[in-house]
Amino acid sequence: MSVCKVEVDPAELGFDAARLARIDTHFAEYVDDGRLAGWSVAVARRGRLAHVSHYGRRDVAGDLPVTDDTIWRIYSMTKPITSVAALMLWEEGLLELTDPVSRYIPSFADMRVYTGGSAANPGTVPATEPVRVWHLLTHTAGLTYGFHHAHPVDEMYRAKGHEFAPPRGQDLAAACDVWAGLPLLFQPGTEWNYGVNTDVLGRVVEVVSGQSLADFFRTRILTPLGMLDTGFHVVDTEHLATLYVPKPGGGLVRSSAMGDAITQPPTYLSGGGGLASTLGDYHRFAQMLARGGELDGVRLLGPRTLAYATRNHLPGNADLESFGRPIFAESAFAGTGFGLGFSVVVDPAAGKQLQSPGEYGWGGLASTTFTVFPEEDITVVFMTQLMPSSTYPIRPQLRTLVSQAVVS
């Protein structure tokens, strides 16, 4: 088990310990007033842990506390791991960012783009160029999510049984064929829309590597990094945090339908949202990123690859506010661009948040989040289990609370 323990006096790393403690005070109130059940946080700088805290309950009804070995559903924080997998294959010359996805998933040939009409009778035109690997990495393919409820194509996904997950029994290959048979929201590369892009990317990883996504993750990423409590299936349910949704009028209610899915062996391996992990495990993944692709002698990516992936890849250095569809996503839109699998801060002033250019990271549906601050050499990982992540402004508050504690 990867354990997070404070390794150094925060002052040695340029933190004010009293200011760091504001993180605990602030988020303890979330638990004390019933907004969250419990949480864990780890803040590190220059590769050393300066602050680790756990608070509240992983299961309220059972009165079970959050501990170092609590397992959390990380949902879309799976996406950076899948993106790293694809970048590893790119480094090995096994795929190109410009490759048409149809080279690996034939059903993605001859895609069509929505032009108008209802979900039952949409107008479409042929795509002017193929959906490419880089479109998947940047969420510019024109794919969507059924749970957005914002567009007729979203409705078409739901009509096929795809809202938060595919119908029971449908595997990743079959799901990709379903999505390929539906219209794109826009011509590839012309807009940004949060969707099943990274799930399709996971299928590309499977085809290119000849391994299932679970096997690739385990042999090439998770085991080498010592992330032994991360996976698509949680057997140790005793330490699994309960998934909650807000209860009307205040408090929390357990979400059994989605929460129990991780306890069953999966048919569908979701590179976009299927993993569970611990604070310690994901801290190791964040440290690998912050160290330029290497941790404890294990190198997954070269530093130039990681630097390239964590710059803004939206055309004209645009932010999501100007280039993205105004829908739910695991990031702020103003002042934030998108790289190859990560949101990237391009204009802190526009975002009206205490952040620095080049900060990157992502979050998950159950309000988890992580950020790498390259300028300050800081990583922060926050785990909790409240769905949806848009319920409270946890991420900007956490970013401010970490940043205000840096004094040198």
Side-chain angles (χ1 to χ4, degrees):
M1 181 181 69
S2 301
V3 177
C4 278
K5 299 292 183 185
V6 172
E7 298 171 329
V8 66
D9 183 337
E12 292 184 34
L13 298 176
F15 287 111
D16 182 309
R19 283 176 166 263
L20 271 179
R22 292 175 177 176
I23 299 171
D24 300 356
T25 302
H26 180 78
F27 288 111
E29 293 180 2
Y30 270 82
V31 174
D32 294 343
D33 65 17
R35 286 175 289 171
L36 294 178
W39 49 262
S40 289
V41 65
V43 181
R45 194 175 196 189
R46 301 170 198 147
R48 304 172 76 187
L49 279 159
H51 186 81
V52 178
S53 296
H54 313 295
Y55 193 82
R57 297 290 180 264
R58 69 177 185 268
D59 182 87
V60 175
D63 195 28
L64 301 174
V66 173
T67 56
D68 233 4
D69 54 4
T70 296
I71 301 170
W72 313 87
R73 298 162 193 79
I74 62 172
Y75 288 115
S76 287
M77 278 166 59
T78 306
K79 288 179 169 70
I81 297 176
T82 305
S83 300
V84 165
L87 293 170
M88 291 167 68
L89 296 172
W90 178 44
E91 282 192 329
E92 294 167 18
L94 298 178
L95 61 79
E96 294 295 330
L97 299 183
T98 53
D99 283 346
V101 172
S102 60
R103 179 172 297 176
Y104 311 107
I105 309 174
S107 57
F108 269 81
D110 304 318
M111 295 294 291
R112 298 189 68 84
V113 178
Y114 173 88
T115 57
S118 68
N121 189 28
T124 65
V125 296
T128 55
E129 74 158 301
V131 174
R132 302 182 188 277
V133 172
W134 76 268
H135 294 137
L136 301 178
L137 282 158
T138 56
H139 288 273
T140 59
L143 298 165
T144 190
Y145 274 127
F147 65 73
H148 285 323
H149 292 260
H151 192 278
V153 175
D154 305 344
E155 184 179 345
M156 295 168 71
Y157 277 54
R158 295 194 299 275
K160 294 290 187 179
H162 291 250
E163 187 165 7
F164 287 98
R168 185 181 300 274
Q170 191 171 96
D171 65 11
L172 179 57
C176 287
D177 289 344
V178 170
W179 300 326
L182 299 173
L184 301 172
L185 266 67
F186 45 77
Q187 293 290 347
T190 62
E191 296 185 50
W192 187 94
N193 189 73
Y194 195 40
V196 297
N197 302 272
T198 318
D199 289 84
V200 178
L201 186 68
R203 179 57 185 159
V204 172
V205 169
E206 289 189 331
V207 174
V208 173
S209 68
Q211 296 179 278
S212 73
L213 196 59
D215 286 344
F216 188 95
F217 280 177
R218 185 180 63 255
T219 60
R220 299 292 306 275
I221 297 175
L222 302 177
T223 299
L225 287 182
M227 297 171 63
L228 303 182
D229 295 308
T230 301
F232 288 106
H233 175 210
V234 175
V235 178
D236 180 14
T237 56
E238 178 186 351
H239 294 100
L240 177 64
T242 300
L243 181 65
Y244 295 99
V245 295
K247 184 165 59 177
L252 303 168
V253 61
R254 177 175 179 166
S255 175
S256 298
M258 285 192 65
D260 292 346
I262 195 74
T263 67
Q264 305 299 318
T267 300
Y268 172 73
L269 299 175
S270 173
L275 291 177
S277 188
T278 61
L279 181 73
D281 274 14
Y282 213 91
H283 164 70
R284 290 189 63 79
F285 181 74
Q287 284 300 300
M288 179 275 297
L289 297 173
R291 306 267 69 77
E294 180 271 341
L295 183 65
D296 295 340
V298 174
R299 178 168 293 285
L300 300 188
L301 293 172
R304 292 186 68 183
T305 301
L306 197 55
Y308 182 73
T310 56
R311 62 179 295 177
N312 186 22
H313 282 252
L314 300 184
N317 204 34
D319 66 1
L320 298 177
E321 184 76 17
S322 60
F323 199 73
R325 294 278 172 122
I327 54 165
F328 165 83
E330 300 294 352
S331 172
F333 271 47
T336 298
F338 208 83
L340 301 179
F342 309 87
S343 61
V344 183
V345 174
V346 293
D347 186 351
K352 300 298 182 286
Q353 297 182 32
L354 187 55
Q355 52 194 4
S356 303
E359 287 179 22
Y360 65 92
W362 202 240
L365 182 65
S367 303
T368 60
T369 189
F370 89 102
T371 306
V372 178
F373 304 66
E375 284 192 0
E376 294 88 1
D377 196 2
I378 291 170
T379 64
V380 58
V381 180
F382 184 88
M383 296 294 198
T384 190
Q385 292 288 261
L386 180 75
M387 186 180 73
S389 58
S390 54
T391 307
Y392 301 116
I394 289 171
R395 290 161 187 165
Q397 291 173 355
L398 178 64
R399 182 180 289 112
T400 296
L401 287 163
V402 172
S403 295
Q404 61 83 37
V406 180
V407 294
S408 65

